[in-house]
Amino acid sequence: MTRTIGLDVDGEAVRIEIDVRTTLLDALRERLGHTAPKKGCDHGQCGSCTVILDGRRHLTCLSLAVAHDGATVTTSRGLAALDEAPDAGPPADTAEPSSPSLPGADPADLPLHRVQQAFLDHDGLQCGYCTPGQVCSAVGALAELAAGQPSHVTDDLSGRPELSDAEIRERMSGNLCRCGAYAGIVAAVRQAAGS
Amino acid sequence: MSEPTGPTLLDPVQMGRPVGRLDGRRKVLGVAPYAVEHEAEGAAQAAMVASTVPRGRVRSIDATAARALPGVLAVLDHTNAPRVADGEDREFAPLQDDTVWFRRQPVALVVAESSEVAREAAALVAVEYDEEPAEVGLRPDSPRLYTPEKLSDGSESDTSAGDVEAALAAATHVVDETYATPYEHNNPMEPHATIATWHGEDAGLGDGPVLTLVDSTQGVHAVRSSLAPVLGIEPERLEVVAPYVGGGFGSKGAPHVNVVLAALAAKALAPRPVRLTVTRQQMFALVGYRTATIQHFRLGADADGRLTAISHDVLEQSAAIKEFVEQTGSPTRSMYAAPNRRTTHRVARLDVAIPFWMRAPGEMPGMFAHEVAMDELAHRCGLDPIELRVRNEPDVDPETGHPFGRRRLLECLRRGAERFGWEEGPRAPLSRREGDWLVGTGVASSTYPANAMPGNEATVTFEHGCYAVGIGAADIGTGSWTSLTQVTADALGVGLEQIRLGIGDTRYPSASVAGGSSGLSSWGIAITAAARAFREQHGDRPSEGASATAGMPDNPDLQEYALNSYGAHFAKVRVHADTGQIRVPRMLGVFSVGRAVNPTTLRSQFLGGMVMGLSAALFEESVRDPRFGHVVTQDLASYHVAANADVADLDAIWLDDDVETHLNPMGSRGAGEIGIVGSPAAIVNAVFDATGVRVRDLPVTADKLLAGLLPQRERDHVLGDASA
Ligand code: FES
Ligand code: FES
C-alpha cells in the first residue's frame, strides 16, 4: 500500500509516494536522496538518524513517514537555518585549503550552524558517521535546556537546569559515537551554548 | 652498533601542526557520501536470509511466496546463484553449496525494488535443514583444541626460553591466575555496506571495470586483491571506491561475505546496481568479532620483585568455516625482562561465526591479562605498581635479543604519575571513601608494534599548479585525508594549498589497509618516495603533467630493531559501596608514538582508543547462545558500548620530543590501537584498589563486585548500628 505525503526538508517542499511501511529515515535516504541523516541501527538505539522535526530532535528510524505528512524536517545539511547567527561559509583568508577536490558536494557554499563550527573547533568527530545526528541532537538539547526542561542529572527540578558538562553528557547520551569523540563533543556543545 | 641506515627524515613544516580535518566541514554537514549513499541510478535493494541452524545442510528452499511478491527481482540461493571462480576461502563462497557452517550464515539473498519489499520477501523464504550436532562453546576441555600453525600476526603459536617450571618453583612471589575476556563486536557506526554494479566483460571496449564496488572498507586494494580471484575478474578490472568510511576498527580490514553477495546479486541483475547493507543485527554474525579468551598467566619473581618467569597460556576459538587465530600472547613476548618465559596458544574451531580483527587484536586481551597480573604481583611484593615495572624493564627485546629502536615506557609511566597525581607506594585497597563511594586508582602499561606494511605505491602529478598525489589509502576516521596532505606537502616542500590528495579508490596505486596502526607509516613511506622521485626527475619547476610513481624503499632497520610504541594508562574509579556501580571519573594516557604528524587527529585517536578501552572494561560482552552459537545481544541496546555520560575527564598526552628514526620519513609510529591496549587493565586495577575485589574476567560489572563488597557493607551496618 502506498500513500502520498508532503514534507519540507531543509527548506525545500517535496511530495512523494511511499510504501506505508517506509520509515521517515528511509524516505529521506532512499526516496529523497537526503543522506545527511545516517542509519546506524534502524532501531532507535544509536541516534545517528537524528533530525530536527517540527522544532524538536527526533529519531527518524523510529517513525513511519506516513505519520508525518506536512512535517518540517531539518537535517544537518540545513541546520544553519536554525541558527540565530550562522557563519557565512568558510572564512576567505582561511589558512587551510578548502579541499574542493575531496569527494562529495563542495561544502563551501553551505553555511554552518555554530554547533557544527564548534564540532570542527574541538575535533568532535572522527569517522563522521554519527556526526550529523550529533549536531542535530546538540541543537535540540540546547533548546530543551534553554526551555528549562530537566534531565536525569538535574538536581533541582524546580529551578532552571544549569549548563554543566554533566548535563551535556546526559543529554547527548542518546547519540553513540563508536570513534569515542565524546570529549570533543562535550567541549563543542559547551562552546556553542556559550556563544 | 652499526651506522644508522634508516629512512631520511622529512623536515616537519606542515607536519606537527594541528591542521583541522579537510573533510570536517563535509562531515558536520552530512554531505560526505558513505558507501550506499553514493548515487546509483535505478539501484535494487538486497536483503539476506540467514540460517537458523548452527550446522547441517539446507534440505530445501521454497521461495515461491517471496517471488510472488510484487517488486521482487530475484531470490538467489545455492541452486541458482552465480558461481564463484575460486571458492577455496569459504567465507567468500556464499550460496555455492548446501553446507551450513554456523547459525546466521546467509543461505539466500532477495533482491527487490525497495528495501521494504526485500525485507518482507526475505522473511517469506522458507528454508528446511538437515541439522547436525554442533559445538559452539569455548571450553578448556574442548576436543577440538589444537595448536595453530601460526598466529594471525604471522608469529609462532608457542615460544619458550629457559625453564619456566623450575623458576616458578623457586620464586619468592608467584602469581598463578586465569583471566578471561569476552566476545566483543567492533560495531563501527556505519554498518558494512556495498553498492555493486556488474558492467560485464565488454565494458569500456573491453578494458573498463567489469565490476564496481562502492564499499565501506579499510582498504580498497585489499577488497580488490581478495575478491578479484573469487569472482574471476582481472584485478585491474575490479574497481573499488571508498572515500569516506564510518569507522571499522578492524572489521572492515578485509571484505566479508556480504560484499561477495552484493557482487553475485549484481552479476545476476547486470547491469543494474545492487545495494546491500548489513543490518546492525547481522553485523553480529557476518563481519568479524574479537574471540573470547581464557588465559592462564603465571609470573614468578624474586624477593625484590624481579621477574624470573613469565608464562602465558592462551585458549581461544575460531570458526570451523575459516581459521583466524588471535595473537593474544604476542605482546607478552617483548614486554618485560625475565630469563624464563613461555607462551602457548590453543584454539578450537567451533561451529560459529568467523572471528576477525578488532582494534588491537591480540594486544588488547593479552595485555589485559598481563597488566592485571603485574598489578597482582606488585600487591604480593608490597611494591608500587610503577616501581615493579621499573625493576623489570628489559635492555633488549627479550624475545629476539634485538635492540629496541627506542623504548620510553618508563618515561610514559613517570610523566603520567606526575600529571595524574599518582600516590607512590603499594596500593592499599579500601583505603579511600567519599560518602557512599569507594575510590581507587590504577595504572597499566601499554604497547603496540610499530608496523609498516609492504606493497604501497604512490603517484605525484603536477596539474594546474598543484600536486595531485594518489594512493589507494583509506580514512576511516583516523584523519588520513588531512595527515597525508601534510606529509605530502612536506615531502614536496610546498604548502597544503598546493596538494590535491586522492585516496579511497583503486584508480590510485596500491596501498595496504588502514589497520595495525600502520596506515600513515606505510602510505607516508610511499608518498615520500614518490615525492622524492618527482623532484629528482622534474626538479622544483615541473612542467604541466609531470609525474612520478614510486614504491617503498628497502628499510634494513626493520630487521635490526624491535620497534614498538609504548604508553601508560592511569584511571580513577568510584565504586558504590552498596550497589557496586562503577564510574570512571578520570582517565589519563601518556604515549610514546614518535612524532605527531597532526596533534589534533592524533589526540582524537588516543582518546577514541581509551573510550573503547573503558567500554571494554565496563560494558562490552557479546553473549553467545550455548545451544546455537549465535549472539543473542545483537543490537546496541543489549550490546552496550560507552555512551557520552559514561566518559568523564579524559586526557591523552604524548612525549613530544619523540622522533622515530627507524620506521618512516615522518618520524611517526602510528596511534590507532595503543589507546585500547592496557586501558581496561588500568580500570580493573583501580577497581581492586577501590574495593579489594580482584576481577579477572571482563567486563567488570557490579554483580562481580557485590559478593566481595558484602563484608564491607556488613561492617558499615555494624558501625551504623553502634553509632545510632
Ligand atoms: S538509526 Fe535511528 S537511532 Fe540508530
Ligand atoms: S565520529 Fe565515528 S562514530 Fe562518531
Side-chain angles (χ1 to χ4, degrees):
Chain A
M1 188 164 53
T2 63
R3 282 275 184 287
T4 300
I5 63 161
L7 292 171
D8 178 308
V9 185
D10 292 336
E12 199 186 315
V14 289
R15 291 195 72 72
I16 41 163
E17 188 180 309
I18 46 151
D19 189 318
V20 292
R21 297 170 295 183
T22 305
T23 62
L24 186 53
L25 179 61
D26 286 344
L28 290 167
R29 286 173 62 84
E30 295 177 6
R31 303 292 182 278
L32 295 169
H34 278 280
T35 54
K38 304 301 180 201
K39 186 186 282 189
C41 70
D42 215 16
H43 280 58
Q45 299 165 349
C46 76
S48 55
C49 63
T50 308
V51 302
I52 305 293
L53 177 76
D54 294 332
R56 299 181 58 183
R57 53 177 168 162
H58 192 93
L59 298 178
T60 50
C61 71
L62 283 190
S63 17
L64 294 171
V66 71
H68 294 281
D69 187 16
T72 299
V73 174
T74 306
T75 75
S76 56
R77 192 181 211 272
L79 202 55
L82 301 186
D83 200 353
E84 313 84 64
D87 90 352
D93 61 344
T94 176
E96 318 298 358
S98 65
S99 55
S101 58
L102 264 60
D106 186 355
D109 45 2
L110 291 172
L112 299 184
H113 190 287
R114 65 178 193 284
V115 161
Q116 292 168 312
Q117 183 59 52
F119 268 67
L120 295 180
D121 294 346
H122 295 278
D123 207 37
L125 67 144
Q126 289 193 45
C127 77
Y129 197 78
C130 74
T131 313
Q134 299 276 1
V135 295
C136 289
S137 193
V139 167
L142 289 177
E144 289 156 23
L145 199 65
Q149 294 174 16
S151 81
H152 174 67
V153 299
T154 308
D155 286 331
D156 178 6
L157 294 183
S158 59
R160 291 190 78 75
E162 302 263 327
L163 177 88
S164 64
D165 284 359
E167 286 281 2
I168 295 173
R169 288 184 189 121
E170 176 65 25
R171 288 165 194 263
M172 291 301 292
S173 279
N175 292 82
L176 297 176
C177 175
R178 190 55 163 158
C179 296
Y182 297 129
I185 291 168
V186 172
V189 177
R190 197 192 306 127
Q191 171 182 313
S195 56
Chain B
M1 209 190 280
S2 58
E3 281 298 296
T5 50
T8 310
L9 293 188
L10 293 168
D11 204 11
V13 179
Q14 299 302 335
M15 291 194 301
R17 289 181 50 223
V19 178
R21 288 175 196 269
L22 300 186
D23 50 350
R25 204 173 167 96
R26 282 178 175 83
K27 285 181 171 176
V28 296
L29 283 160
V31 301
Y34 296 82
V36 283
E37 298 171 2
H38 285 79
E39 276 180 33
E41 192 58 33
Q45 297 274 1
M48 292 181 267
V49 179
S51 72
T52 54
V53 302
R55 183 161 189 120
R57 301 206 169 256
V58 174
R59 189 190 320 138
S60 68
I61 294 192
D62 182 356
T64 320
R67 285 205 177 89
L69 209 62
V72 170
L73 299 166
V75 181
L76 303 179
D77 60 38
H78 66 279
T79 63
N80 66 348
R83 299 294 97 185
V84 299
D86 176 353
E88 187 168 321
D89 185 329
R90 286 184 294 240
E91 182 180 20
F92 299 150
L95 313 185
Q96 301 297 302
D97 61 42
D98 59 358
T99 315
V100 174
W101 294 91
F102 61 93
R103 192 173 200 215
R104 302 271 197 264
Q105 170 191 323
V107 290
L109 186 75
V110 175
V111 194
E113 295 287 353
S114 73
S115 54
E116 291 82 11
V117 173
R119 258 178 290 167
E120 183 183 359
L124 292 175
V125 176
V127 188
E128 290 185 6
Y129 302 90
D130 290 320
E131 195 173 343
E132 291 163 17
E135 180 160 338
V136 301
L138 170 59
R139 301 192 324 261
D141 60 349
S142 171
R144 294 203 191 174
L145 285 169
Y146 67 101
T147 304
E149 218 161 277
K150 291 267 187 240
L151 308 180
S152 72
D153 62 356
S155 67
E156 299 300 318
S157 167
D158 296 2
T159 59
S160 137
D163 187 340
V164 164
E165 302 304 330
L168 284 168
T172 311
H173 301 286
V174 172
V175 173
D176 182 341
E177 300 291 353
T178 298
Y179 303 86
T181 59
Y183 300 107
E184 293 177 352
H185 282 76
N186 306 49
N187 278 309
M189 287 315 301
E190 184 203 12
H192 291 234
T194 313
I195 306 173
T197 311
W198 197 278
H199 314 282
E201 292 292 339
D202 301 333
L205 299 172
D207 58 3
V210 173
L211 172 68
T212 301
L213 297 170
V214 186
D215 191 32
S216 187
T217 175
Q218 293 171 224
V220 287
H221 285 281
V223 173
R224 170 188 267 183
S225 58
S226 313
L227 296 191
V230 169
L231 298 165
I233 304 173
E234 291 298 312
E236 313 74 59
R237 300 190 70 193
L238 173 52
E239 176 181 57
V240 187
V241 180
Y244 304 105
V245 182
F249 316 107
S251 65
K252 295 174 184 168
H256 297 290
V257 62
N258 57 295
V259 187
V260 181
L261 286 170
L264 296 182
K267 188 171 187 180
L269 267 75
R272 197 167 177 184
V274 174
R275 283 195 168 92
L276 175 54
T277 303
V278 183
T279 66
R280 180 61 59 186
Q281 287 69 24
Q282 290 166 343
M283 283 175 65
F284 284 80
L286 301 183
V287 297
Y289 61 97
R290 195 194 298 287
T291 177
T293 66
I294 301 169
Q295 307 177 47
H296 183 203
F297 221 108
R298 293 179 296 166
L299 296 172
D302 66 16
D304 296 331
R306 293 208 161 71
L307 286 167
T308 53
I310 301 175
S311 170
H312 190 183
D313 298 305
V314 180
L315 291 184
E316 53 196 23
Q317 57 97 63
S318 190
I321 182 173
K322 182 172 178 174
E323 185 191 58
F324 172 85
V325 183
E326 181 112 355
Q327 70 263 27
T328 307
S330 270
T332 303
R333 296 168 182 168
S334 296
M335 197 58 205
Y336 298 111
N340 305 290
R341 40 203 317 134
R342 79 177 221 149
T343 60
T344 66
H345 295 77
R346 298 294 175 268
V347 185
R349 286 177 72 172
L350 304 174
D351 304 314
V352 297
I354 309 165
F356 193 54
W357 297 335
M358 177 163 164
R359 204 171 199 167
E363 279 78 12
M364 186 273 181
M367 284 292 282
F368 163 71
H370 202 341
E371 290 300 300
V372 175
M374 288 296 278
D375 203 64
E376 301 209 48
L377 181 63
H379 195 63
R380 278 169 218 188
C381 296
L383 279 177
D384 181 317
I386 295 180
E387 177 58 26
L388 177 71
R389 287 164 175 90
V390 172
R391 292 189 187 180
N392 291 290
E393 179 71 357
D395 297 327
V396 294
D397 183 346
E399 164 85 355
T400 60
H402 288 164
F404 288 108
R406 200 154 178 216
R407 180 173 160 122
R408 301 179 75 184
L409 171 64
L410 300 185
E411 284 171 81
C412 292
L413 286 163
R414 288 182 179 126
R415 271 283 287 283
E418 199 178 308
R419 191 175 173 102
F420 189 78
W422 179 256
E423 283 173 44
E424 268 178 47
R427 299 293 88 187
L430 277 171
S431 59
R432 264 168 299 170
R433 183 167 182 155
E434 294 169 8
D436 289 337
W437 295 86
L438 308 172
V439 182
T441 53
V443 65
S445 305
S446 182
T447 185
Y448 198 81
N451 292 320
M453 301 295 172
N456 286 271
E457 206 175 83
T459 298
V460 176
T461 307
F462 190 66
E463 282 174 0
H464 314 300
C466 287
Y467 296 87
V469 56
I471 180 164
D475 190 333
I476 57 171
T478 46
S480 321
W481 277 111
T482 315
S483 53
L484 286 182
T485 300
Q486 292 173 271
V487 170
T488 312
D490 283 350
L492 287 163
V494 299
L496 297 179
E497 69 291 344
Q498 276 194 274
I499 306 302
R500 295 283 176 269
L501 179 70
I503 60 173
D505 197 315
T506 46
R507 83 176 116 138
Y508 304 120
S510 170
S512 49
V513 297
S517 298
S518 71
L520 188 57
S521 276
S522 315
W523 309 325
I525 290 170
I527 286 176
T528 306
R532 285 174 175 157
F534 183 93
R535 287 291 183 231
E536 261 167 42
Q537 292 165 29
H538 307 291
D540 287 343
R541 293 171 174 278
S543 47
E544 178 71 16
S547 186
T549 299
M552 307 167 86
D554 278 348
N555 180 0
D557 281 17
L558 298 181
Q559 268 65 58
E560 284 175 35
Y561 295 94
L563 302 180
N564 303 294
S565 288
Y566 293 94
H569 287 283
F570 293 80
K572 178 179 181 183
V573 304
R574 293 159 63 83
V575 179
H576 196 280
D578 294 326
T579 66
Q581 186 194 355
I582 306 160
R583 303 288 300 165
V584 182
R586 194 165 170 218
M587 284 175 84
L588 167 69
V590 183
F591 302 99
S592 160
V593 294
R595 189 179 270 156
V597 172
N598 183 323
T600 301
T601 53
L602 176 66
R603 181 164 185 275
S604 289
Q605 289 242 74
F606 288 144
L607 295 179
M610 290 164 66
V611 168
M612 215 180 262
L614 174 145
S615 194
L618 301 185
F619 309 119
E620 290 185 39
E621 176 171 23
S622 305
V623 178
R624 180 177 282 180
D625 187 303
R627 300 158 302 171
F628 308 114
H630 68 290
V631 173
V632 293
T633 52
Q634 52 169 1
D635 62 27
L636 294 170
S638 50
Y639 182 85
H640 290 179
V641 304
N644 202 319
D646 296 314
V647 178
D649 179 358
L650 194 64
D651 193 14
I653 59 170
W654 53 93
L655 305 181
D656 51 16
D657 59 345
D658 221 18
V659 180
E660 170 59 60
T661 54
H662 301 291
L663 184 65
N664 61 45
M666 295 80 73
S668 65
R669 272 198 296 265
E673 276 147 307
I674 196 163
I676 198 178
V677 181
S679 42
I683 290 171
V684 167
N685 294 342
V687 166
F688 173 74
D689 184 38
T691 64
V693 181
R694 178 65 73 181
V695 175
R696 300 188 179 91
D697 58 325
L698 288 178
V700 189
T701 45
D703 58 302
K704 294 177 185 169
L705 299 179
L706 279 178
L709 286 172
L710 203 57
Q712 165 83 356
R713 288 215 308 282
E714 279 165 357
R715 201 166 63 219
D716 293 348
H717 193 63
V718 172
L719 288 177
D721 282 354
S723 61

